[in-house]
Amino acid sequence: MDQILDFGQPMGGIMQVAYIVPDIRQAIEQYRARLKTGPWFVIDHFPLFEAQYRGRPSEFDVSLALTYSGSMCVELIQQNNWETPSVYTEVQAKRGWGFHHFGVSCRDFDADVAHYQALGHEMALYGVAGVGARAAYMDTSDALPGMIELIEMTDKTEAFFTMMKTAAENWDGSDPVRVLGA
């Protein structure tokens, strides 16, 4: 049986659905009012180190908002420097705003990247989050309705997602938007 992560999803399973939006604060209000989700955790100018877009260094700038509904993390992404090419600008140009990727947890990051590459999927984005965990967007758009983001599960990343899930489980409607430091 797969290991169940502290936030309720199995290791290697879909743990997140992500959407690109033109205005993250407006989108939070739309999602919160209609889907009754919260609290939302916002990271403005999310630090992604060693960022590479399609194999080349990139300096795109994004803000993220994350919340939980049950065991599923919902992520909203707003690119702040729209003139910089990225996985977000390319998808928006092809399909418009909306669904972008599935987030999949992984313990053996390198093996999972190799698995998707062996299936013919290019690494569209690579970076290291501020907590030291790696992430890669594998371009599965030829086979799925979006990309797959491989999210390296370390103790710190698991604790971060667990904190957000716990907050959502116990949310009383107060403090609906919580801004986190980079």
Side-chain angles (χ1 to χ4, degrees):
M1 182 160 156
D2 290 334
Q3 171 195 356
I4 301 297
L5 297 160
D6 289 343
F7 51 87
Q9 297 293 65
M11 178 63 75
I14 299 169
M15 57 172 274
Q16 178 186 83
V17 289
Y19 303 87
I20 51 174
V21 298
D23 182 320
I24 204 163
R25 297 311 199 271
Q26 182 181 50
I28 288 169
E29 289 309 308
Q30 297 292 338
Y31 280 61
R32 189 172 67 83
R34 288 163 180 79
L35 298 174
K36 298 179 179 31
T37 52
W40 286 86
F41 293 88
V42 175
I43 305 170
D44 285 311
H45 310 288
F46 180 77
L48 188 64
F49 303 99
E50 302 175 32
Q52 294 180 15
Y53 167 58
R54 303 253 177 223
R56 296 177 184 228
S58 181
E59 298 202 11
F60 64 87
D61 173 25
V62 295
S63 293
L64 308 177
L66 302 108
T67 193
Y68 266 82
S69 178
S71 297
M72 183 59 61
C73 179
V74 177
E75 179 181 41
L76 304 176
I77 304 162
Q78 172 191 310
Q79 184 163 329
N80 300 312
N81 58 344
W82 203 248
E83 68 285 353
T84 302
S86 72
V87 291
Y88 312 111
T89 60
E90 76 177 50
V91 169
Q92 198 282 334
K94 284 181 192 173
R95 295 195 323 260
W97 304 108
F99 179 75
H100 187 267
H101 68 264
F102 300 99
V104 174
S105 59
C106 63
R107 187 76 69 199
D108 189 339
F109 182 82
D110 295 323
D112 285 346
V113 167
H115 167 76
Y116 283 97
Q117 287 174 328
L119 292 173
H121 303 297
E122 177 185 355
M123 183 188 300
L125 171 69
Y126 170 82
V128 180
V131 296
R134 297 174 290 172
Y137 284 36
M138 306 308 294
D139 190 351
T140 54
S141 58
D142 62 332
L144 297 172
M147 296 188 190
I148 290 178
E149 178 187 13
L150 298 173
I151 303 170
E152 185 175 37
M153 274 300 117
T154 66
D155 290 344
K156 287 182 180 179
T157 51
E158 187 171 0
F160 176 70
F161 284 99
T162 301
M163 176 276 297
M164 292 186 295
K165 180 181 184 267
T166 301
E169 289 172 342
N170 300 313
W171 189 48
D172 63 4
S174 63
D175 197 15
V177 179
R178 302 172 187 187
V179 178
L180 303 176

